[in-house]
Amino acid sequence: MSIKVHYFGVFNRAEPMRMMLKHAGVEFEDVKFGMEQWGDLKANYPGGVVPCLEIDGVMYRESLAQARYVGTRCGFYPRDDFNAQYKCDCIVEMVNDVLPKIYGPIFAPDNHDIPKVFSEILPAFMKRVTPLIEACKKSGKWIIGSDKITMADFYLGIIYANFFANPNVGYEAEKFAEVLAANPLFKEYGEKFVS
């Protein structure tokens, strides 16, 4: 099976797939390109959007569907436990909701309220995830309460990898460092997802 992940040369929406494939030991081609190339490449992708997951020459779009596909194939998405699927999906969707609010200033700094990222968006996110991480640490289990790492863990991991452990975060690196210093449990959890 030939697998390619097509996306810009940044983490963001393609990173959960990359992390899961790497963690599972699945070989794949990481096709990265710059914003300056996007105009010429856009027509090559279904709907003109990325990330794009290519399997044996067939292109698939929609990042959540792609991640679920990879998660299921690699054993990181619960198959037979609907409660675990629900918990996994809740965390994935929570991260997916907040992700564009955090990375928006990187792509369109004039159209985003950067101070709001640090005064409202990240504090609200940390308030939601801290109890989950506390329970995870106390139980010795992963984020949905399972013995096995799931897609939900990788999604939380991308927030850390994209914005807190990334030396090229794109804006206000010192403010991300301040948020991280105030949230040591998140840092401890996030360190599992950087190498």
Side-chain angles (χ1 to χ4, degrees):
M1 176 184 303
S2 166
I3 300 174
K4 297 180 184 179
V5 176
H6 299 256
Y7 197 56
F8 300 107
V10 296
F11 297 146
N12 293 326
R13 294 201 179 272
E15 200 60 16
M17 286 185 291
R18 292 173 179 148
M19 284 181 166
M20 288 187 284
L21 289 165
K22 287 177 187 174
H23 192 79
V26 176
E27 288 188 30
F28 70 100
E29 183 179 344
D30 201 2
V31 181
K32 295 180 181 179
F33 45 85
M35 290 297 290
E36 66 282 353
Q37 299 166 287
W38 179 235
D40 294 334
L41 296 174
K42 190 173 183 175
N44 299 331
Y45 294 99
V49 297
V50 288
C52 188
L53 177 64
E54 182 180 351
I55 300 171
D56 293 333
V58 178
M59 302 276 226
Y60 299 91
R61 65 180 213 187
E62 300 305 330
S63 61
L64 284 176
Q66 294 165 8
R68 252 185 223 103
Y69 177 90
V70 170
T72 301
R73 292 290 301 251
C74 294
F76 302 126
Y77 188 73
R79 289 181 185 241
D80 299 321
D81 182 341
F82 296 124
N83 190 42
Q85 288 174 352
Y86 170 78
K87 290 177 182 178
C88 188
D89 287 345
C90 282
I91 291 169
V92 167
E93 290 180 24
M94 175 182 63
V95 172
N96 203 48
D97 285 345
V98 77
L99 198 56
K101 295 173 186 171
I102 302 171
Y103 74 63
I106 295 169
F107 293 103
D110 296 338
N111 296 333
H112 289 84
D113 185 353
I114 292 174
K116 187 176 179 180
V117 170
F118 300 98
S119 67
E120 295 177 30
I121 296 165
L122 283 173
F125 177 76
M126 292 299 175
K127 187 176 180 179
R128 289 179 76 185
V129 301
T130 298
L132 299 172
I133 296 171
E134 286 172 343
C136 183
K137 184 173 181 174
K138 185 176 178 180
S139 70
K141 296 185 182 281
W142 289 95
I143 204 69
I144 67 166
S146 66
D147 292 326
K148 188 176 173 189
I149 191 170
T150 69
M151 186 173 130
D153 295 285
F154 291 105
Y155 262 81
L156 276 181
I158 65 165
I159 296 291
Y160 182 80
N162 283 353
F163 304 107
F164 295 99
N166 180 359
N168 303 312
V169 68
Y171 70 100
E172 304 286 352
E174 69 285 346
K175 289 191 179 175
F176 280 106
E178 289 171 15
V179 171
L180 193 58
N183 293 280
L185 275 178
F186 182 74
K187 180 179 182 183
E188 182 182 331
Y189 180 82
E191 285 293 319
K192 299 173 187 178
F193 300 93
V194 293
S195 55

